[in-house]
Amino acid sequence: MSSKSVAALVGSITLAFYSGMAFSSKYNFQEPQSVIARDIYDQHIMLLWICLAIFIAVFGVMFYSILKHRKSLGYKAANFHHSTAVEIIWTTIPVLILIAMAWPATKTVIAMKDTSEPDITIKATGYQWLWGYDYLQGEGEGISFYSKLSTPPAQMRNKEPKGENYLLEVDNNLVVPVGKKIRIITTANDVIHAWWVPAFGVKQDAIPGFIRDAWFTAEKPGIYRGNCAELCGKDHGYMPIVVEVMEQDKYAEWVAEKKKATAGVVTTAAVEN
Ligand SMILES: [Cu+2]
C-alpha cells in the first residue's frame, strides 16, 4: 500500500471518529453520575479502543498482504505448515488481552454488588405499570409512595406538542440525598420489571417473590431519569423512573414534609405486609 493510500485510510478513520464524537451527546452513554457508572463508562471506552486497535492491526496486515502479494504481481500461493512458536504467540497474546479486560470488569462487578452499610435503603416495587417506593432504613424511614407517569395523554395522542421530558416524567420523584450510599431493593408485585437509571450505572431486575438489590451514591444534585428495562406488558414504556438528588438540608426538609403529609395514611408497605 502506498503511503498516500495509508494516509487516506487514517484520514477517513479520524474523520469518522470525530463526526461520531459530534453525535456522541445523543448516541453515547449518559454522563456518569456515580463511581460505578464512571467505571462502566471508562471501561466501555477502553474496550472500544482495544477493539479498534486490534481491528486496525488485523485488517491492516490482511489487506496489505492481499494487495502486496497478489497473483498479478507474480506471487505464488505460499505453502504454510505448522509452527509451534506462532501458535504459542497467537494463543498467549489474546489470553493476555482478555485478562487485561476482565480484571477491571470483574472489580467493577464486585463493587456493584457490594450493597453493605447503606445510609438509606429504599424498596422499589414494580407494578403493571408504575413503581412503588418504601423507605425502609435511614433518614426518611417510613416514607412510602407510588410513582407513576405524569405525561399528559394528550401529548401521547399528538393533540399537544410533546414536552421536554416526554414519557420520562412522574408524579412523585424518588428523592435521595447527594453523596449518600443508597441501597435499592427491587422486587415486583406481578411480573418481572427492572429498575434502570443509566446515570447511576444501576440496572436491576425486579422479580415477584424475590429480592434483589443494587446501590448508588449520587455525586451531584439534579434530576436523573430511567426506565423499566424488562418487558412487562402493554404499558412497559410508560413506567419511567425519576430520581431527584437533593442537598442534605433540602432532603431533610423533604423528609419532614413528606412525613407530615402522610401521617395517618395507610402506606403501601403496611398494605403489603
Ligand atoms: Cu417494564
Side-chain angles (χ1 to χ4, degrees):
M1 201 188 287
S2 74
S3 60
K4 252 190 189 165
S5 46
V6 171
L9 181 69
V10 171
S12 47
I13 289 170
T14 314
L15 186 71
F17 177 72
Y18 282 108
S19 48
M21 291 227 316
F23 291 108
S24 67
S25 56
K26 190 169 175 192
Y27 295 108
N28 203 353
F29 286 168
Q30 291 182 17
E31 196 191 325
Q33 300 290 347
S34 75
V35 177
I36 295 290
R38 188 158 297 110
D39 279 357
I40 294 171
Y41 186 92
D42 291 346
Q43 283 172 43
H44 166 77
I45 298 294
M46 182 191 78
L47 295 196
L48 266 184
W49 281 117
I50 292 176
C51 291
L52 182 67
I54 293 172
F55 176 86
I56 290 173
V58 169
F59 280 81
V61 168
M62 194 176 89
F63 283 114
Y64 170 81
S65 310
I66 291 171
L67 285 170
K68 187 78 181 172
H69 305 102
R70 59 190 186 272
K71 197 177 170 186
S72 59
L73 294 181
Y75 284 91
K76 289 230 162 62
N79 186 17
F80 291 117
H81 53 88
H82 176 83
S83 162
T84 306
V86 168
E87 291 203 11
I88 287 173
I89 291 169
W90 76 38
T91 307
T92 311
I93 292 175
V95 165
L96 292 178
I97 294 172
L98 283 179
I99 290 173
M101 292 185 346
W103 191 268
T106 307
K107 266 169 77 175
T108 303
V109 169
I110 291 170
M112 240 182 232
K113 297 291 165 196
D114 178 16
T115 53
S116 61
E117 292 172 37
D119 295 307
I120 292 176
T121 303
I122 302 167
K123 182 173 79 168
T125 308
Y127 297 88
Q128 283 173 317
W129 290 272
L130 65 143
W131 291 96
Y133 295 115
D134 299 292
Y135 289 59
L136 301 182
Q137 172 260 323
E139 196 183 354
E141 186 180 331
I143 290 176
S144 186
F145 56 88
Y146 292 108
S147 174
K148 63 174 200 281
L149 183 73
S150 62
T151 300
Q155 287 187 15
M156 297 181 209
R157 292 193 216 104
N158 289 322
K159 297 257 157 71
E160 268 177 27
K162 297 191 191 314
E164 191 194 345
N165 298 306
Y166 179 69
L167 298 186
L168 288 173
E169 51 203 344
V170 294
D171 53 358
N172 295 309
N173 294 346
L174 176 67
V175 178
V176 297
V178 71
K180 292 283 166 71
K181 183 168 183 176
I182 313 293
R183 180 185 180 211
I184 299 286
I185 292 180
T186 62
T187 188
N189 201 47
D190 33 48
V191 299
I192 303 177
H193 303 267
W195 200 86
W196 178 40
V197 180
F200 298 145
V202 172
K203 190 190 225 177
Q204 187 63 57
D205 270 13
I207 308 168
F210 289 84
I211 291 288
R212 291 283 179 276
D213 65 355
W215 70 276
F216 65 87
T217 298
E219 289 173 348
K220 61 179 194 218
I223 290 189
Y224 305 100
R225 297 170 199 276
N227 263 309
C228 176
E230 186 68 66
L231 184 58
C232 59
K234 79 175 173 64
D235 284 357
H236 166 59
Y238 303 89
M239 49 181 295
I241 295 148
V242 182
V243 182
E244 189 170 350
V245 178
M246 288 181 175
E247 294 288 3
Q248 182 56 47
D249 49 342
K250 282 244 177 79
Y251 177 72
E253 275 172 35
W254 178 83
V255 167
E257 245 170 62
K258 202 79 183 169
K259 287 210 161 158
K260 227 191 285 165
T262 53
V265 176
V266 180
T267 63
T268 59
V271 171
E272 278 157 22
N273 298 335

